[in-house]
Amino acid sequence: MTDFVMPRTHYARSGETNIAYQVVGDGLMDLTLVPGSISHLEVIYELPNIVASLRRFIRFARLISFDKRGQGLSDRVPGVPSLEERMDDVRAVMDAAGSRKTALLAFSEGCPMSLLFAAPHPDRVSHLVLIGGFPRAGHSVPASQFEAVMDKIVADWGSGQMMRHVVGMTNGGTDELAALGKFERMSCSPGAFKSIMLMNRLIDVTPVLPNIRVPTLVIHSQADAVVPVAEGRKLAAAIPGAKYIEYEKFPHGVFFSDDCEQVIGDVEEFITGKRPEAEGEADRVLATVLFTDIVNSTTRAIELGDRRWRELLDSHDRLAAQVVERHRGKLVKTTGDGILATFDGPGRAVRCALAFGDAARQLGLPLRAGLHTGEVEVRGKDVGGIAVHVAARVMGQSGANEVFVSRVVTDLVAGAGLKFAERGSFDLKGIPGSWDLFAAVQ
């Protein structure tokens, strides 16, 4: 989302080690994310759908996330930290964040670590949610083959191939793969990752499972290409009273998916006892989404000076409100040097974008614009959902004084007297597949 602001990174002291953590949201309950073997608190927001998933969680919780010791923004440490040491890091982060009691949302390797924390500390854990977890490592690769598999992973480290399996990417473009590679490199070095995996192979928390006394939800997917679904079934069966939910299509990194609302709803219902749909927190409607921004706005601001630039932006905002209202749209918000608006008709949205561009040129402001039609989530005065992401990415492909639209828009306005020129097929960052884009022409 274009208005996303990176949460501030803090540090908690765990013994002599500094553990990086973030807190975002102001929900009535705490939810602590316990990552797997690859993590970076800040780079993760560059990956597909993470910001959207984050926003879904903070609608009901205060979200606490951290990088385990030796990974991401936390201190590098000699050797490989044990599960017990990493368990202590959870407690240190909770204390630093002022969390007396939290639900733990754990992923992959973070699951045994969370189980080890919850068993002796039920007073500090309200719920356990275990996603893509396992009770004992060594579940998918025989010991005789493990060294060769690790050597292959290390040789490819930083290319994105490891994370590709995690997020379930099958047809992503070079930009998406590059982002995954950066995430790997920033998480830890190749040698450090191999050491972590060698230690993880020794994990076995099976003796702990009968002693779990907090409400536990185990989630796994049949399509998980990293941890077989049989491990999730075994994990749930061994924890007294655990609830088990199995999906068919999600990857190991379920929250990288653009359609994981069902999973987040299941997590919310398990922790709070309520589903968001039951309370009508989000209305879904079909809308045409328009994003615009001013081309080279930073350069213009420097040339004009703060006062003149502010006056010009005020004129831009007034003009936007007038033009959007005239075309029966809704101005959702201004974005500093652009706007986000929605329309119930794609033809009016295209005409609004063209008219706004013409009027802004009279002010000496070259605009670029992007439009896409799809289902959006209406939350109060704001909107969200994949259609909003797509419109922003479509705009990102346009240039000065251009209005780009997706094929969906051209199909819906056929026969409306609007003209379009083909601009080719594009990979839109964070959006699966290839997208045909068109320029609206006067």
Side-chain angles (χ1 to χ4, degrees):
M1 297 292 288
T2 56
D3 61 343
F4 172 69
V5 177
M6 174 82 69
R8 180 183 173 187
T9 299
H10 305 270
Y11 284 92
R13 195 77 168 169
S14 181
E16 297 300 314
T17 304
N18 295 291
I19 306 299
Y21 74 95
Q22 293 178 349
V23 180
V24 61
D26 55 3
L28 296 178
M29 60 163 299
D30 288 344
L31 179 62
T32 300
L33 306 185
V34 184
S37 55
I38 306 176
S39 73
H40 192 290
L41 280 176
E42 297 182 359
V43 177
I44 195 170
Y45 296 116
E46 300 176 16
L47 301 186
N49 303 308
I50 290 300
V51 172
S53 294
L54 169 77
R55 285 182 163 161
R56 293 184 183 112
F57 279 117
I58 62 176
R59 69 190 176 194
F60 68 90
R62 185 177 77 126
L63 201 62
I64 303 169
S65 55
F66 67 99
D67 284 331
K68 291 181 290 192
R69 60 174 63 204
Q71 293 180 303
L73 294 171
S74 293
D75 280 350
R76 298 300 187 259
V77 292
V80 180
S82 66
L83 273 182
E84 289 82 1
E85 289 175 309
R86 285 181 278 181
M87 179 186 75
D88 288 339
D89 296 343
V90 175
R91 180 168 43 237
V93 167
M94 287 179 61
D95 290 344
S99 178
R100 187 189 65 81
K101 196 166 189 175
T102 186
L104 294 180
L105 180 60
F107 306 89
S108 194
E109 171 210 322
C111 294
M113 174 177 162
S114 298
L115 287 161
L116 199 61
F117 180 80
H121 301 292
D123 57 317
R124 302 209 64 177
V125 179
S126 63
H127 299 78
L128 269 177
V129 179
L130 310 174
I131 301 179
F134 52 89
R136 184 181 66 81
H139 41 71
S140 57
V141 181
S144 60
Q145 302 174 19
F146 187 72
E147 191 74 23
V149 170
M150 285 310 308
D151 288 343
K152 178 64 169 63
I153 292 175
V154 168
D156 290 338
W157 190 253
S159 67
Q161 292 303 322
M162 177 66 181
M163 280 298 299
R164 187 173 195 158
H165 293 293
V166 172
V167 305
M169 179 188 290
T170 57
N171 58 354
T174 55
D175 288 346
E176 288 82 359
L177 195 59
L180 296 178
K182 178 181 178 181
F183 185 61
E184 291 176 0
R185 296 190 301 274
M186 298 300 285
S187 174
C188 60
S189 68
F193 181 76
K194 181 176 181 179
S195 297
I196 290 171
M197 295 306 291
L198 288 170
M199 195 285 292
N200 285 351
R201 193 166 177 82
L202 304 177
I203 291 175
D204 186 354
V205 294
T206 304
V208 173
L209 303 184
N211 300 307
I212 299 299
R213 294 291 181 266
V214 300
T216 301
L217 170 64
V218 178
I219 290 175
H220 221 106
S221 173
Q222 296 172 16
D224 191 325
V226 179
V227 178
V229 69
E231 296 302 312
R233 296 168 184 166
K234 286 190 290 187
L235 187 61
I239 299 173
K243 180 179 180 179
Y244 180 64
I245 300 178
E246 183 172 303
Y247 303 101
E248 293 182 2
K249 63 178 181 177
F250 292 112
H252 186 61
V254 60
F255 298 125
F256 294 99
S257 301
D258 60 9
D259 57 350
C260 63
E261 180 68 30
Q262 177 187 358
V263 184
I264 298 177
D266 287 335
V267 172
E268 180 175 356
E269 182 178 26
F270 178 74
I271 294 175
T272 68
K274 303 175 184 177
R275 286 195 81 88
E277 295 85 355
E279 298 185 4
E281 293 181 9
D283 291 327
R284 293 178 178 271
V285 299
L286 185 71
T288 299
V289 181
L290 166 64
F291 264 106
T292 73
D293 75 1
I294 301 169
V295 177
N296 295 325
S297 59
T298 302
T299 302
R300 292 297 309 281
I302 294 172
E303 292 173 351
L304 295 174
D306 290 342
R307 181 176 178 180
R308 175 58 184 144
W309 180 244
R310 184 66 260 169
E311 292 173 349
L312 204 55
L313 284 182
D314 290 342
S315 298
H316 164 277
D317 293 351
R318 287 192 297 269
L319 179 63
Q322 294 168 3
V323 176
V324 170
E325 182 179 11
R326 189 163 67 244
H327 289 83
R328 292 166 50 190
K330 176 184 177 183
L331 181 61
V332 178
K333 58 188 167 186
T334 57
T335 59
D337 57 356
I339 67 166
L340 166 61
T342 59
F343 300 80
D344 60 6
R348 286 191 293 275
V350 175
R351 292 187 176 94
C352 178
L354 292 170
F356 186 30
D358 288 344
R361 274 200 299 276
Q362 303 304 312
L363 296 175
L365 296 175
L367 300 186
R368 59 177 181 164
L371 295 105
H372 175 66
T373 301
E375 190 178 64
V376 301
E377 295 178 359
V378 181
R379 298 190 177 281
K381 296 181 179 180
D382 203 359
V383 294
I386 189 64
V388 179
H389 289 274
V390 173
R393 298 294 186 260
V394 171
M395 181 195 70
Q397 299 296 334
S398 65
N401 302 314
E402 288 187 320
V403 176
F404 272 26
V405 306
S406 66
R407 179 177 289 279
V408 176
V409 175
T410 63
D411 290 346
L412 291 174
V413 299
L418 292 164
K419 298 179 181 179
F420 300 93
E422 293 186 16
R423 287 294 184 261
S425 185
F426 295 81
D427 291 327
L428 304 182
K429 184 177 181 181
I431 310 295
S434 184
W435 292 74
D436 294 332
L437 301 185
F438 302 82
V441 294
Q442 306 252 25

